[in-house]
Amino acid sequence: MISLVIGILIIVVVGAILFWAIDKFCTDGRLAQLLKILVALVCLGAIISRLLPILGYPAFF
C-alpha cells in the first residue's frame, strides 16, 4: 500500500515539473494549453492504471 502511495506521489511530482517546464519554455499559449492537457491526461491514466488492481479490475499491462 505504501508503494502505491509513493508511486502516485512520484507521478504527481513529475506532472508538476512538466507543468512548470511548459510554463517556462513554451511561448505559444495554445500549444502550452494543449501540452498541459496532454500531461494531465497521461498522469491521470498512470494513476488510474496503478489503482485498478486495488479496486479489483485487471491491469491493462
Side-chain angles (χ1 to χ4, degrees):
M1 189 67 173
I2 193 92
S3 65
L4 174 73
V5 173
I6 291 172
I8 290 174
L9 284 175
I10 290 171
I11 292 168
V12 170
V13 168
V14 169
I17 291 170
L18 288 174
F19 265 50
W20 173 81
I22 290 169
D23 277 339
K24 179 114 175 130
F25 298 112
C26 189
T27 57
D28 186 21
R30 274 187 171 170
L31 178 62
Q33 192 174 20
L34 288 173
L35 287 173
K36 285 181 183 179
I37 291 171
L38 180 66
V39 167
L41 288 175
V42 168
C43 288
L44 186 64
I47 290 171
I48 289 174
S49 70
R50 289 196 178 254
L51 287 176
L52 281 178
I54 300 255
L55 297 175
Y57 294 102
F60 290 120
F61 301 109

